[in-house]
Amino acid sequence: MSVWPTIALVALVTFGIKGVGPALLGDRPLPASFTRVVLLLAPALLAALVITNAAADGTRVQIGADTAGVAVAGVLLLRGVGVLPVVVVAAVATALLRLAGLP
Amino acid sequence: MGRDRGGERLQTRDDLCESQDRWDVVDRERLRAGLRVSPPYAAASLLLSFSFGAVATAAGPSPLAAIVMSAVVYAGSAQFASIGILAAGGGVGAAVGAAALMNSRFLPMGVALGPSLPGGRFRRALQGQAVVDSSWALALREDGTFDRWFLFGHSAPQYACWVVGTALGVLTDRIDPQALGLDAVFPAFFLALLVAELRKGSRTSYGVALAGAALALALVPVVPVGVPVLVASGAALVGLRERS
């Protein structure tokens, strides 16, 4: 089985990817433009992660029960509900919608 | 100075930096602050890794392999992607490649974090291992630097829950994570981080979030899994042109 070599290689690759940025840039003052890009990196990355996980299945755009569940999570978050209840409600809503026949 | 302990490869410039902000001096207050806000994220991490454990063992790898993978990789999307490819009959190369693409977002995240870490190259790379999406986003200060001890404190319980959750998941491999709606946990978790981020951010950050989401969604059918998120991070480059 190719599981163990895969685990070893994925671990190495992950270590390398997480480590290379910090290794390249040392403890030095930040130019203002770098700071502005860093501050905008978080919303760009997070929004992309949300949409690719909620509205896509692999390389296919798919709106399904999980998309609706995440939309419910969005409404609760805007009302100030905390992370854990939001995540649980998203899962329960998704499960119920699946039970009702959504993909 | 602590550099005597096995730090023989340190360079002079880094030594100078170390004298101002030693890499190994624990800021207990910031560490505790990170630990304090961690529980809900750690609990969500438990749910996610539970579903990873269940999915992984259903897909083929032994329970032990799934637990070891969570302990040594500690990057959810990469783990799901590589195991999914193996389960679909793909080779080691394809599985590792998919994991690398899923993790590619850690490249710009690591570059952003680098200047906030003290110590030599290797020590900074080691500290970079503590980054997960939530700890990175929450440790980001308004001036673009990172609160590293907060980041470590926030990551530690998540790591423990990640491994424990996987172990619980492999024990209950007869559960169908899809039927439980566990696939909504991951995006709902990131949405929570995004909302928190937008609350503290400027008006530009709303536009960048929308652009990132639109870019990623448009690329989903055209490029391999993981690449849309990496390309979407490019939306942040508008920060280069914005006047301060």
Side-chain angles (χ1 to χ4, degrees), chain B residues 77-218:
Chain B
S77 51
Q79 290 176 227
F80 276 107
S82 53
I83 293 300
I85 283 176
L86 284 187
V92 174
V96 176
L101 289 175
M102 286 310 255
N103 279 339
S104 56
R105 67 180 185 280
F106 290 120
L107 283 173
M109 287 162 72
V111 168
L113 172 68
S116 303
L117 298 177
R121 280 184 198 285
F122 184 66
R123 280 176 178 157
R124 293 198 301 269
L126 274 186
Q127 294 175 75
Q129 302 306 313
V131 167
V132 285
D133 299 281
S134 64
S135 64
W136 181 88
L138 293 175
L140 178 57
R141 297 192 193 101
E142 279 176 22
D143 61 355
T145 63
F146 288 82
D147 186 340
R148 69 183 178 118
W149 282 107
F150 180 95
L151 189 150
F152 301 153
H154 192 262
S155 277
Q158 281 194 74
Y159 176 76
C161 284
W162 188 251
V163 178
V164 170
T166 307
L168 294 175
V170 300
L171 289 176
T172 48
D173 63 340
R174 262 170 288 173
I175 285 175
D176 176 8
Q178 294 262 347
L180 290 179
L182 290 179
D183 53 332
V185 169
F186 202 60
F189 182 69
F190 285 120
L191 190 58
L193 292 174
L194 177 63
V195 169
E197 192 59 42
L198 291 177
R199 285 221 167 102
K200 72 182 179 189
S202 60
R203 198 176 299 167
T204 321
S205 59
Y206 284 89
V208 168
L210 281 176
L215 205 56
L217 195 61

Side-chain angles (χ1 to χ4, degrees), chain A residues 4 9 26 43 72 75 103:
Chain A
W4 288 107
L9 288 170
V72 171
V75 172

